[in-house]
Amino acid sequence: MRATGASGTHAARTERDARAAMLEDRIARFDAVESGLVFGRIDRTYGEALYVGRIGMSSEEYERLLVDWRAPAARPFYTATPGSAEGLSRRRHLRVRDRRVLGVDDEVFDLTRLDDADRVHLSGEAALLAALTEGRTGRMRDIVATIQAEQDRIIRAELPGVLVVQGGPGTGKTAVALHRAAYLLYEHRDRLASRGVLVVGPGAVFLRYIEQVLPSLGETGVVLATIAELYPGVTVTAHEPTRVAAVKGDARMTQVVADLVKAFQRVPDEPLSVAYGRHRLSVDPELVARARTKARRSRRPHNQARAIFQRTVYGTLAVRTLRAIGVERPSQEVLTDVARDLLDTDSLVTEVDKLWPVLTPERMLAGLYASAELRDQVARGLGVDERELLARPPDHGWTAADVPLLDELARRVGPVPARDPVADRRAEEEREEERFAADTLSLLDLPMPVSAAAVADRYRGTGETRTTAQRAAEDPDWTFGHVIVDEAQELSPMAWRMLQRRCPARSMTVVGDLAQASSPWGPASWEAALGEYARGRLRVEELTVNYRTPAEIMAVAGDVLHSVEPDAVVPRSIRSAGVDPWYAEVEPDGLVDALAKAVTDETSANPDGMVAVVAPRALRAALDTALADLLPGLVTPRRTQLDSPAVVLDVVEAKGLEFDSVVVVEPALVLAEGDRGAHDLYVALSRATKRLGVVHSGDLPEPMAH
């Protein structure tokens, strides 16, 4: 279909490319779901048996071969219980690799309907336990074959409003959130396909960990990003102390940003006198104040309101100029001509532009950081010490905490006005092409939604189709149909404002655990974090069962959490590993050798899994280098993180991840490093699915002393 190129009528090319885009999307989905395509069967007491898989499939004769796991017909596979069989006589779990069946496990709700041959497969929770104990690979797996009833209820919750999923370590929050994204795109594809779903994670390591889950469920159009990646054109290259990030993330910065913009909308103290031919024009404070008030009342962004400011100033000056030569009642045409002539007077334009200049967020924020005088002028709501924390040289790189501030400024400033009429005309033509494509698509009987923008791209003969992710990355004003936020307890108030602007429909799934918050701005409640955005639309669901972490390990982690929050609820582990956590006290100069031995031993104990060394931030880089030198076959440089049998992480990087074995280094230092050190240590201790070790050179923290 592509080989014909950009030929044929407009409508024919649009229809051809719409169908081509649809087929390309289907091929991508089939490739992604091939591994483990079918994973279950439900035998109904009355009616045919149904096979359940990652996508739905039918034969050429439209005979149903496979039911999509998200379809209503498949729901009993996840929700049926012995007490409420939902019309099932048996639920079968199929363990499949590629196209080979590795095992069959049955759960029976009506024994009278089984023969002797069927009874050999009875095994209760075998499928779930097999998935939980399988070795980790550095990439998160989907849980589509083992979704539990409490998880299924959340995954299939209604789209509108803000759904908060609160749950402790190992409860499957992230997996639930990702499967919910796949479910929503299945159930509400007509509403979400064109705008897309945004999944926000805490860091690049985490996104790399989860990146394969949604494609394996047949969804390739979801945008994965961190907060630092949501402002187009800016790359984060620097880090800063937590106390500086705390000031930048504080909600008071909203007013600082507003006042910063206003600071560039100036009224002169004295009249400005500018030569204009044989006359001198006076740009007096009263005129400028009137023009500024009119522009501000328009409620347009600064750069767009600038046209109103200029129109008022130059229009008034044109009237004054004509009066000076005796023209009291000029026509509109004459006024326009004089105003245009004034705009050609460089000295006048220079002075007026200083009063309401064209602004960019990057220059403004860099100027705020570099100027103590400007900070004192616009940041009065901050303390003196807090203002000083914002100081930095102009050549300092951008940090993650800068991104929400840049985004806030961008919304108040607006885009820089285009000065290229050819570009303006081409942009309007592209908008018209997209409208035409959308109209044509509405007339076609396509089995799934197709993006009008993608079809318009094809029509232009660009030779490429931009995905939703690519279009969103290039458009600073892009808004999504639904936003999913993982590790949401780590977001600052300014980051929340940034995300809320990305989804004005107020449709979010927020996933996190308040007890695992590491940042000093961690919210006291989800209501406090989400504010007015979620008022009247907030629903909270809680996951209480720990599927990942064995009871022996959670006992240690729970003691640490209860040392600072005695009433905190620690999720209940459903299994025991049969192995107690181990501890090794070493001399400070023997720490690296002890860790190398521990990594070697743990890798041998879990040859098909992964080992993580979780270290304090102050030690992470040095330990990473030292262990990579000592164990080149096990620990690789951090540029290939999660691609080796063992990795070295700090607590923030480890958040949301899981490993077969975890070795925590110097827990007392982890406890002392941050304002919420006990919560950080709780996170570090609860990452393991099988074995936990602790290597320390000083005393163990009191909660771990036993």
Side-chain angles (χ1 to χ4, degrees):
M1 296 179 75
R2 301 294 187 204
T4 58
S7 61
T9 66
H10 194 150
R13 289 156 61 187
T14 300
E15 181 172 353
R16 179 205 66 185
D17 288 338
R19 293 189 179 278
M22 178 197 69
L23 292 173
E24 287 173 343
D25 184 63
R26 294 186 70 182
I27 290 171
R29 293 178 69 217
F30 289 148
D31 289 343
V33 302
E34 165 113 16
S35 179
L37 175 62
V38 56
F39 52 80
R41 191 180 87 177
I42 49 178
D43 296 349
R44 297 184 289 184
T45 304
Y46 302 101
E48 63 177 340
L50 299 176
Y51 282 92
V52 181
R54 297 171 185 276
I55 59 173
M57 298 183 68
S58 300
S59 69
E60 292 182 359
E61 292 76 28
Y62 298 102
E63 176 188 2
R64 182 162 55 184
L65 302 176
L66 194 61
V67 176
D68 193 301
W69 67 275
R70 297 164 287 191
R75 187 164 191 177
F77 181 79
Y78 301 108
T79 57
T81 65
S84 176
E86 300 192 27
L88 301 189
S89 61
R90 172 171 55 184
R91 171 168 52 209
R92 168 165 288 180
H93 295 271
L94 301 170
R95 284 180 282 125
V96 179
R97 180 174 299 160
D98 297 326
R99 300 192 180 189
R100 289 191 305 118
V101 177
L102 303 180
V104 177
D105 303 308
D106 286 348
E107 296 173 79
V108 176
F109 306 109
D110 185 354
L111 281 170
T112 64
R113 303 184 71 86
L114 294 187
D115 57 29
D116 290 341
D118 285 332
R119 293 172 188 267
V120 300
H121 301 300
L122 303 185
S123 55
E125 299 293 329
L128 174 61
L129 292 176
L132 295 176
T133 56
E134 190 175 3
R136 269 49 187 172
T137 64
R139 295 292 182 273
M140 185 179 188
R141 301 184 183 91
D142 63 69
I143 60 166
V144 64
T146 57
I147 293 171
Q148 301 301 292
E150 69 168 357
Q151 298 171 329
D152 183 78
R153 183 184 70 253
I154 295 171
I155 290 169
R156 298 175 190 266
E158 295 180 356
L159 173 64
V162 179
L163 174 65
V164 172
V165 184
Q166 161 75 31
T171 54
K173 301 183 299 299
T174 298
V176 166
L178 295 174
H179 287 69
R180 176 162 169 76
Y183 172 78
L184 292 177
L185 282 166
Y186 172 87
E187 187 70 13
H188 304 282
R189 191 171 295 275
D190 55 335
R191 296 173 58 181
L192 299 178
S194 61
R195 300 311 305 171
V197 173
L198 171 66
V199 176
V200 178
V205 175
F206 179 84
L207 293 184
R208 185 178 176 85
Y209 175 64
I210 68 172
E211 66 184 357
Q212 295 176 357
V213 174
L214 284 163
S216 75
L217 298 174
E219 298 300 341
T220 57
V222 176
V223 179
L224 303 180
T226 65
I227 287 291
E229 297 168 332
L230 287 179
Y231 185 79
V234 165
T235 301
V236 170
T237 59
H239 300 277
E240 60 195 353
T242 301
R243 58 197 180 121
V244 179
V247 174
K248 293 181 178 181
D250 195 288
R252 292 173 295 167
M253 289 299 295
T254 305
Q255 189 60 50
V256 174
V257 167
D259 290 342
L260 179 60
V261 175
K262 290 179 179 179
F264 288 89
Q265 300 166 355
R266 303 183 181 97
V267 174
D269 296 328
E270 301 292 336
L272 304 175
S273 181
V274 181
Y276 176 63
R278 291 178 299 171
H279 305 279
R280 293 201 70 82
L281 299 175
S282 176
V283 184
D284 54 86
E286 292 76 17
L287 167 58
V288 177
R290 187 169 69 253
R292 183 177 71 174
T293 299
K294 191 172 182 179
R296 285 179 175 177
R297 284 178 176 172
S298 72
R299 297 190 178 277
R300 296 180 183 178
H302 172 93
N303 288 336
Q304 281 61 57
R306 182 172 181 267
I308 299 173
F309 176 83
Q310 290 181 320
R311 196 158 52 240
T312 303
V313 171
Y314 289 116
T316 302
L317 292 177
V319 170
R320 292 178 179 177
T321 300
L322 289 169
R323 284 178 180 171
I325 59 176
V327 181
E328 291 294 333
R329 295 187 177 180
S331 66
Q332 185 60 50
E333 184 178 358
V334 171
L335 276 172
T336 301
D337 287 343
V338 174
R340 286 174 178 168
D341 193 44
L342 292 172
L343 282 167
D344 289 333
T345 305
D346 291 343
S347 58
L348 176 62
V349 170
T350 298
E351 293 299 328
V352 173
D353 281 354
K354 290 178 182 177
L355 303 174
W356 194 291
V358 173
L359 300 177
T360 66
E362 293 83 350
R363 285 203 301 266
M364 294 174 68
L365 195 58
L368 176 69
Y369 294 154
S371 171
E373 181 181 355
L374 185 57
R375 291 195 299 274
D376 289 341
Q377 178 185 350
V378 304
R380 297 187 185 93
L382 304 180
V384 175
D385 292 344
E386 291 175 313
R387 290 180 225 164
E388 285 303 310
L389 287 174
L390 296 178
R392 74 183 191 200
D395 59 349
H396 192 284
W398 296 115
T399 70
D402 291 329
V403 172
L405 297 179
L406 289 168
D407 194 71
E408 186 85 20
L409 277 166
R411 294 308 185 270
R412 292 181 178 273
V413 170
V416 175
R419 298 179 181 273
D420 184 353
V422 175
D424 288 347
R425 187 165 58 253
R426 182 56 190 152
E428 179 56 36
E429 290 173 357
E430 290 183 358
R431 286 192 289 270
E432 180 60 31
E433 289 166 356
E434 288 194 22
R435 285 192 289 268
F436 182 88
D439 291 341
T440 303
L441 289 170
S442 67
L443 301 176
L444 300 178
D445 184 23
L446 297 176
M448 60 191 302
V450 175
S451 165
V455 173
D457 278 344
R458 281 294 184 184
Y459 172 77
R460 295 177 196 121
T462 60
E464 61 180 13
T465 299
R466 289 185 301 160
T467 64
T468 299
Q470 290 169 328
R471 297 197 307 277
E474 297 165 5
D475 185 353
D477 296 321
W478 187 275
T479 58
F480 292 87
H482 190 78
V483 173
I484 292 176
V485 189
D486 205 346
E487 299 296 339
Q489 73 278 355
E490 303 301 337
L491 265 60
S492 70
M494 295 305 293
W496 275 118
R497 286 179 59 86
M498 182 179 185
L499 282 185
Q500 290 164 4
R501 285 190 291 270
R502 295 294 187 279
C503 190
R506 295 198 293 169
S507 180
M508 279 191 184
T509 301
V510 174
V511 180
D513 180 16
L514 298 176
Q516 294 187 63
S518 298
S519 55
W521 52 79
S525 68
W526 294 115
E527 290 80 2
L530 290 157
E532 289 296 326
Y533 181 84
R535 195 171 302 282
R537 299 169 63 89
L538 182 65
R539 296 165 287 156
V540 179
E541 294 279 359
E542 187 156 7
L543 295 171
T544 59
V545 178
N546 186 333
Y547 299 99
R548 176 183 68 212
T549 316
E552 297 91 339
I553 296 176
M554 280 310 296
V556 178
D559 286 346
V560 171
L561 179 60
H562 287 148
S563 69
V564 291
E565 292 189 30
D567 297 328
V569 177
V570 176
R572 174 177 54 86
S573 298
I574 66 168
R575 64 190 177 92
S576 169
V579 179
D580 289 329
W582 57 265
Y583 301 82
E585 184 174 2
V586 299
E587 295 297 324
D589 57 1
L591 182 64
V592 172
D593 289 337
L595 283 174
K597 181 179 184 304
V599 169
T600 303
D601 292 346
E602 292 297 326
T603 304
S604 299
N606 295 284
D608 297 324
M610 283 197 72
V611 178
V613 175
V614 182
R617 287 187 296 274
L619 300 180
R620 193 269 301 153
L623 291 178
D624 188 33
T625 301
L627 290 176
D629 290 341
L630 285 174
L631 305 172
L634 298 181
V635 181
T636 57
R638 292 176 59 78
R639 63 178 178 270
T640 56
Q641 200 165 58
L642 301 185
D643 286 339
S644 58
V647 294
V648 182
L649 306 168
D650 61 36
V651 177
V652 173
E653 293 169 327
K655 190 163 292 189
L657 310 183
E658 59 183 35
F659 305 91
D660 296 88
S661 296
V662 171
V663 181
V664 177
V665 184
E666 301 289 18
L669 186 53
V670 173
L671 197 64
E673 266 192 331
D675 296 331
R676 295 174 61 88
H679 298 82
D680 286 346
L681 186 53
Y682 174 59
V683 170
L685 293 169
S686 57
R687 299 301 96 198
T689 65
K690 296 176 182 176
R691 295 165 59 91
L692 170 69
V694 175
V695 177
H696 60 104
S697 60
D699 293 335
L700 284 174
E702 180 60 31
M704 300 174 65
H706 70 279

